[in-house]
Amino acid sequence: MLLYPIKLRPHLAKRVWGSSDWAQSYLKESQDCSSVGEIWNVYGECLVAEGAYEGLTLDSLYCQFPRELGFTTESPHFPLLIKWLRAQRWLSLQVHPDTELARELTGRNDVLGKTEAWYVTQAQPDAELILGVHPQIGFAEFLQSKGREWLDLVERVCPKVGDCYNITPGTIHALGPGVTVLEVQQSSNLTYRLYDWDRLGLDGKPRELHLQEAQAVLKRHWQANCEAGKAQETELAYAYPKLEGRSLVVSKFFRMELFDKAGSLHWQTSLSQPEILICVKGKAEAAVSGNCTDLSLGEACIMAAGGAEITVNLNEESQLIRVTQPQVKS
């Protein structure tokens, strides 16, 4: 079963830093795109768009086909969230916890922490993002400041198209205006805001800050800020499927690789590790066991595990990202 590429209906997320001039180009159907900041393409509550499982949620498939969709015991929900972000204004200065600390802080055993990665697909010449702090800044010194004062302590990066940033728990970060990224993350909405530019939310009220929780995260993971932007962990540390493209990011939760050369690629899925393909430029064609789908800019599809043959066709303009997860040891 599941021997066809699974496409999902995207979810649009309105954000105070969103805009209305970008999202429609990533969607096949006309929708209200006002104030949209995020398009969620792969998420447990998204509905299957077509085929035998049309109308079912990804989470329901995840429970129905645990082997084919890489079931883990950490959570009953599909473990990854893949989305597009376009910042019209600065996102909040924020941090995320790991799973252990997330459960301590929330008192819930069904939540995940948040490791994420940003792949830059558009960036204006003067665009910036925040990633970590100045090398000489320590945890105690950081806590002596607050609010806008923190902006003098953080590290600013000028992103370029094709850059990829691994953002581990505890890393202070913020996406700046004029940047579009594909974000791959653990399926978690735990964001602890340190500073939000003294603005109001879409409801007209000040947005909540989470200073106590953020301080707990920083205390445990301060080293992440000292290592932000440095070389990532070696792929050999995790049992991933065979690398088929150019490796971008490897973590203990997912690997991202890029296909950017015209031609046809062929490989077999593993017996227990599903794959996700996302078109980040142009158009592409993907097939599993002979069942084919077209992928336009922004679209994603899930290829279930099970040893099926995958074929990907790219032209000169195509770029595709493949996301895989490590082997789950029983």
Side-chain angles (χ1 to χ4, degrees):
M1 303 295 288
L2 295 177
L3 292 179
Y4 72 95
I6 302 295
K7 283 186 175 180
L8 303 171
R9 296 175 187 162
H11 166 73
L12 305 186
K14 295 182 182 295
R15 297 287 185 260
V16 67
W17 41 263
S19 64
S20 57
D21 60 353
W22 73 284
Q24 191 58 62
S25 60
Y26 291 76
L27 303 170
K28 284 201 166 183
E29 299 177 358
S30 180
Q31 299 187 49
D32 176 12
C33 294
S34 58
S35 298
V36 168
E38 303 178 1
I39 303 174
W40 298 11
N41 287 86
V42 178
Y43 175 56
E45 295 183 12
C46 288
L47 301 177
V48 177
E50 58 193 22
Y53 307 104
E54 182 176 357
L56 297 179
T57 67
L58 176 57
D59 275 348
S60 67
L61 287 186
Y62 184 58
C63 294
Q64 187 176 350
F65 299 101
R67 177 182 174 89
E68 293 86 350
L69 293 177
F71 183 81
T72 72
T73 57
E74 272 199 313
S75 169
H77 306 290
F78 192 77
L80 295 181
L81 168 57
I82 298 177
K83 59 189 180 184
W84 290 92
L85 286 80
R86 172 70 178 182
Q88 181 76 9
R89 304 169 187 84
W90 275 100
L91 275 66
S92 62
L93 200 64
Q94 58 189 247
V95 293
H96 306 300
D98 62 9
T99 296
E100 180 182 9
L101 187 53
R103 294 177 178 181
E104 288 181 22
L105 294 173
T106 64
R108 294 174 50 191
N109 291 324
D110 61 341
V111 299
L112 298 177
K114 188 173 177 181
T115 290
E116 63 185 347
W118 288 340
Y119 178 77
V120 179
T121 62
Q122 293 179 336
Q124 295 177 356
D126 58 347
E128 293 182 319
L129 56 85
I130 290 171
L131 194 65
V133 299
H134 298 323
Q136 70 274 19
I137 301 299
F139 174 60
E141 182 179 356
F142 187 83
L143 290 186
Q144 291 174 2
S145 301
K146 62 180 180 179
R148 292 191 66 88
E149 297 172 347
W150 280 324
L151 300 179
D152 295 326
L153 306 181
V154 295
E155 194 75 19
R156 293 175 184 259
V157 178
C158 296
K160 303 184 300 297
V161 173
D163 287 346
C164 196
Y165 302 96
N166 192 26
I167 304 171
T168 58
T171 304
I172 298 168
H173 63 285
L175 191 67
V179 186
T180 304
V181 299
L182 176 74
E183 177 175 302
V184 179
Q185 61 161 92
Q186 291 178 271
S187 189
S188 169
N189 63 358
L190 284 178
T191 295
Y192 296 139
R193 300 189 194 108
L194 286 157
Y195 176 65
D196 196 41
W197 311 91
D198 304 315
R199 63 186 165 194
L200 303 179
L202 294 174
D203 59 1
K205 300 177 182 178
R207 299 181 83 204
E208 181 182 6
L209 299 179
H210 315 92
L211 300 181
Q212 184 175 349
E213 294 90 342
Q215 180 175 332
V217 174
L218 292 173
K219 183 177 181 180
R220 183 170 298 188
H221 295 291
W222 183 254
Q223 190 63 25
N225 290 289
C226 306
E227 299 173 350
K230 294 183 180 179
Q232 307 304 329
E233 298 171 86
T234 173
E235 187 174 335
L236 299 177
Y238 309 106
Y240 275 96
K242 179 184 175 183
L243 186 70
E244 301 292 343
R246 175 164 60 87
S247 182
L248 297 172
V249 159
V250 181
S251 74
K252 64 186 294 186
F253 302 105
F254 56 82
R255 180 183 67 195
M256 297 170 62
E257 54 190 288
L258 178 69
F259 300 138
D260 59 357
K261 298 185 184 302
S264 293
L265 294 164
H266 306 272
W267 70 88
Q268 281 194 320
T269 59
S270 77
L271 295 177
S272 59
Q273 293 156 288
E275 307 182 6
I276 303 170
L277 302 177
I278 311 104
C279 183
V280 296
K281 184 180 179 182
K283 295 183 178 180
E285 184 182 80
V288 58
S289 297
N291 296 303
C292 185
T293 191
D294 293 325
L295 292 174
S296 300
L297 173 65
E299 285 194 302
C301 67
I302 301 172
M303 306 297 205
E309 182 173 332
I310 290 180
T311 300
V312 170
N313 294 313
L314 305 177
N315 60 36
E316 294 290 343
E317 301 299 320
S318 306
Q319 288 188 3
L320 206 65
I321 282 183
R322 177 195 186 207
V323 178
T324 49
Q325 293 178 261
Q327 177 71 51
V328 177
K329 296 181 180 180
S330 56

